[in-house]
Amino acid sequence: MAYNSVAGGREVGMGYTSPAIEGTNDSELWQQMITKARMPQMFIPVSDVTIEDKDGFIFRKMTRPDDSVICENIYVDHDNKSIRFVVVEQGRETGLTHVNALLHGPTRIEYYCQNANGERVPWHVPSS
């Protein structure tokens, strides 16, 4: 997969899949993915994180290092082991969705961005 440079690193682009993850089981890794959704400041450089549990989703608001604020509705699919982060602007879902999925055989994590039609679109953020 071709990557473009973002602040000295590689960008996610059309998607990123981790190498095989060893030394943990799927259940523990899935719990860490949920923790990242609820406590992103433990994993990525954000601050002022607020979380609200809603009916069927989690609303999350956080501030990036450049002082921009991102709001998302987060949908956790326990059966398929995937988490969708739908970008919210002016109180409405935009249709732009960031997906984190736990893959099996071997265990890996995939993340990518998709539009309202479910089509993958470039995601211009660092892959690590």
Side-chain angles (χ1 to χ4, degrees):
M1 174 177 293
Y3 292 94
N4 295 320
S5 182
V6 175
R10 293 187 208 177
E11 71 175 27
V12 171
M14 297 301 283
Y16 172 81
T17 302
S18 74
I21 300 169
E22 299 176 357
T24 188
N25 62 50
D26 288 359
S27 179
E28 290 173 352
L29 189 53
W30 176 241
Q31 287 305 312
Q32 286 298 309
M33 290 173 67
I34 293 171
T35 298
K36 183 180 178 201
R38 291 187 161 278
M39 302 174 69
Q41 67 275 21
M42 292 177 58
F43 301 87
I44 59 175
V46 294
S47 61
D48 302 323
V49 177
T50 58
I51 297 287
E52 296 176 34
D53 289 306
K54 302 286 189 174
D55 187 21
F57 65 95
I58 302 161
F59 174 78
R60 179 172 80 181
K61 181 178 178 181
M62 58 191 176
T63 304
R64 295 179 185 158
D66 66 2
D67 289 328
S68 63
V69 174
I70 185 167
C71 296
E72 300 163 308
N73 289 338
I74 303 170
Y75 299 89
V76 178
D77 182 340
H78 293 279
D79 293 334
N80 292 309
K81 302 291 189 266
S82 67
I83 305 172
R84 295 184 310 112
F85 302 81
V86 182
V87 177
V88 173
E89 292 179 356
Q90 299 177 6
R92 300 178 66 107
E93 292 188 354
T94 64
L96 192 61
T97 302
H98 305 128
V99 179
N100 291 193
L102 180 60
L103 305 178
H104 309 282
T107 300
R108 295 159 290 141
I109 296 175
E110 178 183 35
Y111 46 96
Y112 58 92
C113 185
Q114 66 185 24
N115 64 21
N117 296 324
E119 302 164 325
R120 288 190 187 211
V121 295
W123 191 5
H124 302 289
V125 297
S127 62
S128 57

